[in-house]
C-alpha cells in the first residue's frame, strides 16, 4: 500500500533562518506531488505541485521554493523565513492520470512556528 | 479552475443525517467533484468522488444534479467523531482548488 511521510511534525524557527521540509512517498511511482500551507482556522493554499522529477509549478509568489530531486521525494525550502511563513504545511500525492481527477492523499503535516 | 462555495459552518445532533451543499457554477466538462474530511492538526482525508448523479460508499453519499453546478455530501447518522471540516473540491487532473470548507460540529 502507498504511504506518505512528512517530517518533522513540528518545527520552531527564528525569523531569517533557513527551512527544509521533506516529504517522501512509498508504494507508488511517478506520483503528482503537492505542497500546501494552512494558516490557523483557514483553508488550504496550494503552494507548489510537481508532475515529475525537476518539474515544479509555483502557485503563489513567495520566499519559498520546492524541489523534487527524486521521483518520490518533495522538498520545501526557504533561505530566509518570515513571520508570515508560520502555518501548517501539508504534503500530498496523487496518481498521475489524465482521464479523471485523482484524489489526493495527504501526510500528517508539519506545524511551523516562526519566532 | 472552478471556484467552490460552501457554508462556513453547520451544527447537527448525533444520529441525524447531515447534508452539506457545495456550489461550483463554473465546473468544466472534465472536472470531477471530490470531498475531503479534515480533523484538527491532520491532513485532509479523501471521502468520496463523483462526476454525475449519485455515488455511495461506506462513509457517505454524493448527489450531483444534471447541470453539475452543485453537489451535496450526505453523511448518514453522524456521530461526535464526524466533527471536522469538510472540503468540496473541483479540479482537473493535476491540481485542485480547496475552498474554505464547512466546519461541521456534531452535538451530543
Amino acid at each position: 500500500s502507498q504511504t506518505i511521510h512528512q517530517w518533522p511534525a513540528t518545527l520552531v524557527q527564528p525569523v531569517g533562518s533557513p527551512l527544509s521540509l521533506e516529504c517522501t512517498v512509498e508504494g507508488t511511482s511517478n506520483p503528482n506531488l503537492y505542497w500546501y500551507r494552512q494558516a490557523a482556522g483557514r483553508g488550504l493554499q496550494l503552494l507548489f505541485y510537481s508532475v515529475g522529477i525537476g518539474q515544479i509549478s509555483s502557485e503563489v509568489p513567495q520566499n519559498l521554493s520546492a524541489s523534487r530531486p527524486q521521483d518520490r521525494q518533495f522538498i520545501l525550502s526557504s533561505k530566509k523565513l518570515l513571520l508570515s511563513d508560520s502555518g501548517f504545511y501539508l504534503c500530498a500525492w496523487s496518481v498521475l492520470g489524465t482521464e479523471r481527477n485523482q484524489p489526493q492523499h495527504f501526510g500528517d503535516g508539519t506545524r511551523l512556528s516562526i519566532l | 479552475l472552478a471556484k467552490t462555495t460552501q457554508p462556513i459552518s453547520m451544527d447537527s445532533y448525533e444520529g441525524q443525517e447531515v447534508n452539506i451543499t457545495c456550489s461550483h457554477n463554473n465546473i468544466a466538462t472534465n472536472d470531477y467533484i471530490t470531498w475531503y474530511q479534515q480533523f484538527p492538526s491532520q491532513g485532509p482525508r479523501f471521502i468520496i468522488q463523483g462526476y454525475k448523479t449519485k455515488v455511495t460508499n461506506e462513509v457517505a453519499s454524493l448527489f450531483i444534479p444534471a447541470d453539475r453546478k452543485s453537489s451535496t455530501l450526505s453523511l448518514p447518522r453522524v456521530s461526535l467523531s464526524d466533527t471536522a471540516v469538510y472540503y468540496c473540491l473541483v479540479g482537473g487532473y493535476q491540481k485542485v482548488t480547496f475552498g474554505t470548507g464547512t466546519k461541521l460540529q456534531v452535538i451530543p
Side-chain angles (χ1 to χ4, degrees):
Chain A
S1 63
Q2 301 89 358
T3 56
I4 180 169
H5 303 280
Q6 270 188 259
W7 65 92
T10 60
L11 187 61
V12 181
Q13 292 283 98
V15 171
S17 64
L19 173 73
S20 180
L21 300 181
E22 188 163 344
C23 171
T24 60
V25 180
E26 297 177 357
T28 187
S29 297
N30 304 315
N32 287 334
L33 295 172
Y34 309 82
W35 277 112
Y36 289 88
R37 177 171 60 201
Q38 187 172 34
R42 307 292 292 275
L44 277 73
Q45 179 187 37
L46 179 62
L47 302 176
F48 302 95
Y49 75 94
S50 171
V51 299
I53 296 175
Q55 300 180 60
I56 310 293
S57 295
S58 174
E59 291 299 301
V60 182
Q62 59 218 329
N63 68 320
L64 299 172
S65 62
S67 62
R68 184 170 178 173
Q70 300 180 42
D71 180 45
R72 291 169 290 174
Q73 184 185 29
F74 207 23
I75 298 173
L76 182 69
S77 304
S78 175
K79 293 181 179 178
K80 283 187 177 182
L81 286 168
L82 306 173
L83 283 174
S84 58
D85 291 323
S86 292
F88 189 44
Y89 288 82
L90 288 157
C91 180
W93 72 272
S94 68
V95 173
L96 183 65
T98 58
E99 294 183 354
R100 56 176 293 174
N101 176 201
Q102 298 292 334
Q104 294 184 27
H105 306 278
F106 288 80
D108 292 330
T110 295
R111 179 76 59 189
L112 176 64
S113 299
I114 309 300
L115 303 178
Chain B
L1 294 174
K3 181 179 177 180
T4 60
T5 303
Q6 302 174 235
I8 293 175
S9 63
M10 295 179 67
D11 291 337
S12 176
Y13 288 102
E14 270 192 297
Q16 290 188 329
E17 178 185 73
V18 171
N19 295 310
I20 305 175
T21 298
C22 178
S23 297
H24 28 80
N25 292 320
N26 297 323
I27 189 170
T29 303
N30 61 343
D31 284 347
Y32 276 67
I33 301 154
T34 312
W35 285 80
Y36 292 80
Q37 175 192 56
Q38 185 181 27
F39 297 114
S41 298
Q42 294 185 25
R45 181 177 70 98
F46 169 80
I47 299 176
I48 196 167
Q49 183 180 75
Y51 184 80
K52 61 181 180 180
T53 62
K54 177 184 176 182
V55 179
T56 298
N57 61 21
E58 65 278 6
V59 177
S61 295
L62 179 60
F63 298 92
I64 305 169
D67 66 5
R68 303 199 330 117
K69 293 186 176 182
S70 66
S71 59
T72 300
L73 174 72
S74 181
L75 304 172
R77 299 182 59 79
V78 294
S79 64
L80 294 177
S81 62
D82 292 317
T83 293
V85 176
Y86 293 82
Y87 292 96
C88 163
L89 279 73
V90 175
Y93 70 92
Q94 284 189 351
K95 59 179 180 177
V96 295
T97 300
F98 277 77
T100 56
T102 299
K103 186 173 183 178
L104 173 65
Q105 180 69 51
V106 180
I107 306 166

